[in-house]
Amino acid sequence: MPYLLLLLFVAYPIAEIITIVLLAKAIGTFWVVLWLIVAFFSGGLMLRHHKLAVGAALFNDVRSGRLRLSSLFAVARYYIAAVLLLLPGILGDVVALVLLLPWGYLVGNKAAVTPASASADSDVIDGEYRQVKPDVDRLKG
């Protein structure tokens, strides 16, 4: 297993370099460099501006008790795609763009992590209440 990881860390950069060189020969060096610069800044903007919104959405899902496995995978896919866009390379950018496709939403929400007492079809919200009577002296002024 360690040799497989070593091979991966050696083979991936070599594959990226070969892809960049072949694509530069095919469409031109300017366009490849432009692609890499745009991909880098896109990944940086993705990491910078989306982390608070994702964190708030996940916290809201956890708090309401309807945290879905698909929402966790969507967050993981988003951040992996952003990191792949930051790294220079065409193969990583293609994988990042595939990860950003909305294929997780087509499957549906079958894998949901919900409390055992909650029902998906129920419109009842459990809660506690207490009756508060107004203070008569304060109302009279």
Side-chain angles (χ1 to χ4, degrees):
M1 184 67 171
Y3 295 116
L4 182 64
L5 289 175
L6 180 65
L7 179 68
L8 179 68
F9 283 124
V10 171
Y12 178 72
I14 292 172
E16 286 285 4
I17 291 169
I18 291 171
T19 306
I20 290 172
V21 169
L22 291 176
L23 193 64
K25 284 183 181 178
I27 64 171
T29 307
F30 172 76
W31 296 110
V32 172
V33 171
L34 183 67
W35 171 283
L36 294 175
I37 290 171
V38 168
F40 177 79
F41 283 115
S42 299
L45 288 175
M46 285 172 60
L47 284 178
R48 185 176 188 184
H49 293 294
H50 200 268
K51 62 183 171 187
L52 291 177
V54 167
L58 279 178
F59 181 72
N60 197 16
D61 283 349
V62 168
R63 205 175 72 206
S64 67
R66 56 181 169 81
L67 180 63
R68 294 182 192 89
L69 200 56
S70 62
S71 65
L72 291 174
F73 282 134
V75 171
R77 285 184 316 155
Y78 185 85
Y79 282 117
I80 290 170
V83 169
L84 284 174
L85 285 173
L86 280 173
L87 297 175
I90 305 299
L91 294 177
D93 294 345
V94 170
V95 171
L97 293 177
V98 169
L99 285 174
L100 288 175
L101 291 175
W103 53 268
Y105 300 109
L106 300 177
V107 174
N109 297 326
K110 294 180 183 176
V113 180
T114 57
S117 63
S119 173
D121 298 330
S122 176
D123 291 334
V124 177
I125 300 173
D126 292 332
E128 296 180 11
Y129 72 94
R130 64 183 175 137
Q131 191 172 10
V132 178
K133 299 203 182 215
D135 191 14
V136 178
D137 295 334
R138 212 174 25 162
L139 291 176
K140 289 183 179 179

